[in-house]
Amino acid sequence: MPVQLPSGSASIAAFIAAFRFRIRFGTRFGIPETSTEEHSMTHGTTAPTTTAYKVTGMTCGHCEGAVTSELSALAGVASVTAEAATGLVTVVSAGPLDDEAVRAAVDEAGYELVGRA
């Protein structure tokens, strides 16, 4: 099946993060072989939740990677996009995440979660 890449650097980063997650974990975590829409229609599940957070202290790509790595380890997280320039971190997950778990993951990476953006 051919894969169409989205345009824009943030979209591409999100696509790559989701692709890496799928390769790494496959269907172990309930990622369907069908598209999200097809899976939702046939299995009665809800659409993924996208949440934006404001994080302070990120200054470079390494910072983005550290935050992405820690947040990606949280249960239910499908993809993470961190942007050091803006301090915005976008998380796509199977459902709403516990804000304290997100705060702890960001803290573990060495940064401060200001709150939801």
Side-chain angles (χ1 to χ4, degrees):
M1 169 168 51
V3 175
Q4 181 152 357
L5 293 175
S7 62
S9 61
S11 296
I12 292 172
F15 175 82
I16 291 170
F19 184 73
R20 286 180 179 162
F21 182 88
R22 184 172 186 106
I23 288 173
R24 185 173 179 195
F25 298 109
T27 56
R28 260 191 317 182
F29 293 102
I31 299 172
E33 291 298 326
T34 59
S35 72
T36 303
E37 287 179 24
E38 291 172 27
H39 185 73
S40 295
M41 290 187 300
T42 59
H43 291 89
T45 58
T46 59
T49 301
T50 301
T51 310
Y53 298 96
K54 183 72 174 173
V55 175
T56 59
M58 294 189 299
T59 59
C60 64
H62 179 277
C63 301
E64 293 170 347
V67 170
T68 298
S69 178
E70 289 297 329
L71 288 173
S72 294
L74 295 177
V77 172
S79 69
V80 179
T81 303
E83 297 179 25
T86 61
L88 290 178
V89 177
T90 304
V91 180
V92 178
S93 57
L97 297 174
D98 177 56
D99 285 341
E100 287 308 311
V102 173
R103 184 174 306 281
V106 170
D107 185 58
E108 182 66 27
Y111 306 94
E112 182 181 352
L113 176 67
V114 176
R116 291 184 186 220

